[in-house]
């Protein structure tokens, strides 16, 4: 994800790629908070600090205009590193330490393995969104095999 946005200016990172206002920086912030931090640090590891961060962050898709894009990129790197640490120390069959019962109804991921597969699929989906957005923004394509 970071490789795909490498070299984009702050304006390009914030430029809406869709009529909804969706932009690359919002996607990276969403991945940092709603994916890496939420699924690995909060759900799988049950880290209270991660849950507090999520509670304080609001809508991760909307990055305030005064927040430097470099801070969002650093947050994504930091949350990926934190997730990597949780993944490394948690057995594949381990149950999540916490589950947000109020968010998903009866749907549930029961093991680290299921959670990891869910995040791989979600991140891959967003990588495709990012690739399409970059092509709309500046015409370039990322990792296209011919």
């Amino acid at each position: 994800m970071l490789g795909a946005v490498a070299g984009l200016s702050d304006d390009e990172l914030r430029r809406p790629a869709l009529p909804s206002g969706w932009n690359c920086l919002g996607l990276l912030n969403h991945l940092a908070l709603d994916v890496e931090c939420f699924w690995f640090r909060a759900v799988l590891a049950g880290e209270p600090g991660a849950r507090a961060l999520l509670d304080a962050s609001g809508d991760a898709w909307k990055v305030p205009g005064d927040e430097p894009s470099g801070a969002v990129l650093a947050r994504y790197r930091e949350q990926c590193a934190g997730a990597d640490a949780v993944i490394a120390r948690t057995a594949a069959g381990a149950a999540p330490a916490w589950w947000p019962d109020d968010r998903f109804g009866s749907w549930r991921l029961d093991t680290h393995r299921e959670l990891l597969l869910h995040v791989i699929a979600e991140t891959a989906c967003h990588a495709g969104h990012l690739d399409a957005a970059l092509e709309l923004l500046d015409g370039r394509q990322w990792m296209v095999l011919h």
Side-chain angles (χ1 to χ4, degrees):
M1 300 304 273
L2 292 170
V5 300
L8 292 181
S9 69
D10 184 71
D11 286 342
E12 290 169 321
L13 286 166
R14 294 175 188 277
R15 185 178 307 144
L18 298 173
S20 66
W22 184 103
N23 62 51
C24 298
L25 196 61
L27 172 65
L28 290 171
N29 200 49
H30 162 70
L31 288 170
L33 296 170
D34 298 336
V35 178
E36 301 292 335
C37 182
F38 177 78
W39 287 112
F40 295 113
R41 294 186 52 219
V43 173
L44 187 59
E47 294 178 14
R51 289 170 58 188
L53 174 64
L54 293 168
D55 289 342
S57 67
D59 183 354
W61 286 97
K62 299 191 183 327
V63 177
D66 61 348
E67 183 169 11
S69 57
V72 175
L73 300 177
R75 179 180 304 118
Y76 182 62
R77 284 185 197 94
E78 176 186 303
Q79 292 305 323
C80 286
D84 288 349
V86 171
I87 291 164
R89 71 174 181 257
T90 307
W98 171 72
W99 187 259
D101 291 317
D102 59 329
R103 284 200 180 181
F104 302 113
S106 62
W107 181 76
R108 187 173 175 94
L109 297 170
D110 294 316
T111 66
H112 175 192
R113 180 182 297 104
E114 291 176 2
L115 195 144
L116 188 59
L117 290 171
H118 171 77
V119 170
I120 289 169
E122 182 172 356
T123 303
C125 181
H126 286 318
H129 298 149
L130 184 59
D131 189 47
L134 291 171
E135 190 170 346
L136 289 169
L137 288 172
D138 66 8
R140 72 181 171 136
Q141 296 176 323
W142 173 252
M143 304 260 319
V144 176
L145 301 175
H146 294 279

